[in-house]
Amino acid sequence: MNLVQWFFENAGLYFFYELAVAIIGTYFYFYQARGNVLFKCLMIFFWWTWFADSFAKYAAILYLNEYKMLDVRNTIFERDGWIYNLVHIVSIVFYTWFFNRLIPGESLRKIVKYLGIFVAVVSLILLFISDDFWIVSNADVAFVKGLMIILFCVLCFLGLISSDQIISFYKFFGFYFTIGIFVFYLLTTPLFIYTKYFTWDSYDFSMLRIFIVKSCNVVLYSLCIIGYLVAMKHKDLNLKYSKDAT
């Protein structure tokens, strides 16, 4: 399998979806929401996600190239697990921060804040005691992170229902983004329960996992694109309900 064939079979559509969302988010921030901390950090997070996912492909590229470009065999960088473990921690911090500002209601924001801190501490401990930080993405951390984000989404929906935003909920970027990540983590988080008991030699499970993750990525980033387009049409409303808008 050559590199081009591998890229389109393993990265494919969602790679360009990630890039598209990062570009649209950048355009929205600089041309319609400049100075808004919420949309600024969202833009940075999308770029970070795209860069991390892209950079993580280095292990497969080097392997397919038979390490002619760079020989990292028998080193901690031979596998890409460490990148995804860093992504887990950054995601926990970001989603805690994001929902702490997106969710209406002080009591719900406090739940998000303290739950996020607890999950971050637990995740760091799990990574610290793990023997394969550099090798594979930690399934326990991914599972705990997924449960946390699902709960954040539920709290966001509850906050939306009890606020005056419910009247025009379909006009907010946060609504589409929350729906997207709720579906993504609701469907992918259970996979991490079984990941520890299967290897990539388990062909059927591997193919099922790849299909679900790819499909959920397409759904997530499609909703993000729709959310940005809606936010452009209702810019003033979106900035008004962004807690850190300046």
Side-chain angles (χ1 to χ4, degrees):
M1 181 184 296
N2 59 46
L3 290 176
V4 175
Q5 181 184 357
W6 173 87
F7 174 82
F8 282 101
E9 288 185 2
N10 292 273
L13 188 61
Y14 77 86
F15 173 87
F16 296 103
Y17 266 65
E18 282 185 335
L19 180 59
V21 171
I23 292 173
I24 294 173
T26 302
Y27 172 85
F28 180 76
Y29 172 71
F30 282 104
Y31 289 95
Q32 300 199 37
R34 185 185 291 271
N36 185 293
V37 178
L38 192 72
F39 284 106
K40 178 180 181 180
C41 291
L42 192 63
M43 172 192 69
I44 294 172
F45 179 72
F46 281 136
W47 278 112
W48 150 259
T49 301
W50 178 80
F51 177 78
D53 280 342
S54 301
F55 183 67
K57 304 294 186 295
Y58 84 89
I61 292 173
L62 293 178
Y63 173 78
L64 292 173
N65 190 246
E66 298 180 344
Y67 300 100
K68 294 177 182 178
M69 291 185 291
L70 180 66
D71 193 348
V72 294
R73 286 174 291 186
N74 301 317
T75 71
I76 57 177
F77 300 110
E78 184 175 2
R79 303 287 293 274
D80 57 13
W82 62 277
I83 296 178
Y84 291 108
N85 287 324
L86 291 177
V87 168
H88 289 324
I89 298 302
V90 172
S91 297
I92 291 170
V93 173
F94 170 77
Y95 284 118
T96 300
W97 179 89
F98 180 81
F99 280 104
N100 184 254
R101 282 153 178 77
L102 182 69
I103 295 177
E106 190 63 31
S107 58
L108 292 179
R109 286 200 290 265
K110 285 184 179 180
I111 294 175
V112 168
K113 177 181 177 180
Y114 293 117
L115 178 61
I117 293 174
F118 173 76
V119 171
V121 171
V122 170
S123 298
L124 287 172
I125 293 174
L126 289 173
L127 291 175
F128 181 77
I129 63 177
S130 172
D131 295 326
D132 53 7
F133 173 85
W134 299 94
I135 302 173
V136 296
S137 170
N138 192 298
D140 292 327
V141 173
F143 181 70
V144 171
K145 180 190 77 173
L147 289 180
M148 179 198 78
I149 294 174
I150 291 171
L151 181 56
F152 284 176
C153 292
V154 172
L155 292 176
C156 186
F157 296 142
L158 291 175
L160 182 64
I161 292 173
S162 60
S163 72
D164 58 356
Q165 296 181 35
I166 189 62
I167 301 174
S168 51
F169 68 92
Y170 58 92
K171 297 179 181 179
F172 297 108
F173 169 85
F175 171 74
Y176 297 93
F177 181 63
T178 303
I179 288 289
I181 60 174
F182 179 73
V183 171
F184 180 89
Y185 283 101
L186 188 66
L187 295 180
T188 61
T189 298
L191 295 175
F192 295 110
I193 300 176
Y194 302 102
T195 297
K196 296 186 294 183
Y197 307 105
F198 288 87
T199 67
W200 285 106
D201 295 327
S202 307
Y203 181 79
D204 291 337
F205 174 74
S206 299
M207 292 301 100
L208 176 63
R209 178 181 177 182
I210 291 172
F211 173 77
I212 292 176
V213 171
K214 283 186 176 181
S215 300
C216 288
N217 267 295
V218 171
V219 172
L220 168 59
Y221 291 115
S222 296
L223 284 169
C224 286
I225 292 173
I226 293 173
Y228 269 124
L229 295 177
V230 171
M232 290 177 189
K233 185 177 180 180
H234 304 284
K235 180 187 70 173
D236 294 339
L237 201 60
N238 276 267
L239 297 183
K240 175 183 177 182
Y241 286 105
S242 297
K243 185 171 179 288
D244 280 321
T246 56

